[in-house]
Amino acid sequence: MKAIAARDEAALAQLYDRYRLILFGLLMRILGNREEAEDVLQEVFLQVWRKADDFDETRGRPFTWLVTLGRSRGIDRLRSLASRERVAEAGAREASEEVSDAASDAFLSEQRGLVNNALAQLPDEQKGPLMLAYFDGLTQSEIATRLGAPLGTVKTRMRTGLIRLREMLASHGESFGF
Amino acid sequence: MIPARALSALDPAEARAFTDHLAGCEECRRELQEWESTAAAMAVSANPMEPSPKVRERILDEIRNESKSEVIPFRSATRNIWTSFGSLGAIAAVILLTALIAGLVVLWRQNNARQLELARAQEFMELATTPGAKTMRLDGVDLGAGATAKLAYDKNGHAMLMADKLPKVPQGKAYQLWFIVGKNPPMPGKTFVPDDTGKGMLEDQVPATAMDSAVFAITMEPVSGVDAPTGPIYLRSSTIN
């Protein structure tokens, strides 16, 4: 990130090469549309280029910063699209065509395994609200409406779910982390 | 409330109130970062997917255009001064001023290049000193005699290569990294083009099968890289720790 802040184009290209699969997979999951996801992916890396000075390495890893930025942009785009259903339907077709080059990256595959195992161990009542918040960008009230559950219950389940996820990932110690 | 904020799932009124609170609460900001780190892990659960190569091209084109446009104010400022003065003395003064600015720009660029080099060296050291990291030295052979390189990679295979004194590459050519395990065909890495002084830097991912025991080599290839080496070896590794 320091090199990017010093206007090193090669450093940005390397950051892109390292994280493009994860970020594009995330944006496809959120937007379900290749064209929109690629457009947002481009926006994210241009923002990284323009705002690399804002990254404070003492406050977290580049991975977290990038993913948080990417997801935020993805959710913003999702909300700005006129018809969420239309995009999701289009995306369902595209997403099924290509399921990743993940196999070519052993480390990424291992990390996916850890996270997916941890998520699989969460009860559906906790996992559901987490997924709706993270990938669909729904607020707690929207999730409560969607699930037909009391708002307080949704808040508790989300909090408990994220706490358990953190504990499970922490239990893998050095194994997890980009 | 902080976990929900990390998922940006707070309702608008709560989100605004919490943002106001964050401005004055270092402890909550720190805690939020920890929760954001956990939330970010959820991104990995999505299927990784390959974007079109055009996205990478568009990003790099855009930042190059931005870099060019950053120079434009200099040009327009010079033009305005030029037209407003109009006398030979003023023209001479402008020429001197331009030369002075050009000199300063050169110094600024040199300083930037040094800072960049330092930043890269620091990143390399950070990688090389992470627990479980391995460091290799690559020595120039044949056409690459006199060139050297250091390569470090961590236990996850994230590798950085820093090369020095490499011969210039012709147009359309680049150096490519190779991972060679036993008598198996070399596995291709990425390409890089060194600067005018022969310095080059590369980040790559060491294949899982090359993590424990491999020879690392650099050849000159077409800039887009090739699947099997076609050019001579310029650098070759020997383990130093």
Side-chain angles (χ1 to χ4, degrees), chain A residues 2 20 42 50 100 140-141, chain B residues 11 48 50 58 66 122:
Chain A
K2 286 177 191 163
R20 74 187 189 287
Q42 180 177 340
R50 292 163 188 154
S100 90
Q140 292 172 322
S141 294
Chain B
D11 293 310
E50 185 70 78
R58 288 203 301 260
E66 284 186 13
Q122 189 177 348

Side-chain angles (χ1 to χ4, degrees), chain A residues 2 8-9 17 20-21 25 34 38 42 50 61 71 98 100-101 107 112 116 139-141 155, chain B residues 4 7-9 11 14 33 37 44-45 47-50 52 56 58 64 66 120 122 156 190:
Chain A
K2 286 177 191 163
D8 183 352
E9 292 175 13
D17 290 341
R20 74 187 189 287
L21 295 178
R34 172 170 276 276
E38 289 186 342
Q42 180 177 340
R50 292 163 188 154
R61 298 168 297 172
R71 174 180 171 270
E98 43 182 315
S100 90
D101 291 353
F107 176 60
R112 284 195 72 220
N116 282 332
T139 64
Q140 292 172 322
S141 294
K155 286 182 176 179
Chain B
L7 292 160
S8 51
D11 293 310
E14 285 179 318
Q33 279 149 12
S37 177
V44 186
S45 71
N47 278 342
M49 294 184 72
E50 185 70 78
S52 158
R56 189 179 194 274
R58 288 203 301 260
R64 281 173 197 139
E66 284 186 13
R120 285 171 165 176
Q122 189 177 348
N156 300 317
K190 291 181 181 169

Side-chain angles (χ1 to χ4, degrees), chain B residues 18 23 45 50-51 59 72 85 100 108 150 171 195 202 208-209 222:
Chain B
F18 188 67
S45 71
E50 185 70 78
I59 292 167
I72 287 174
F85 274 70
L100 180 62
W108 177 76
K150 287 180 290 188
Q171 187 75 21
D195 63 18
L202 179 71
T209 51

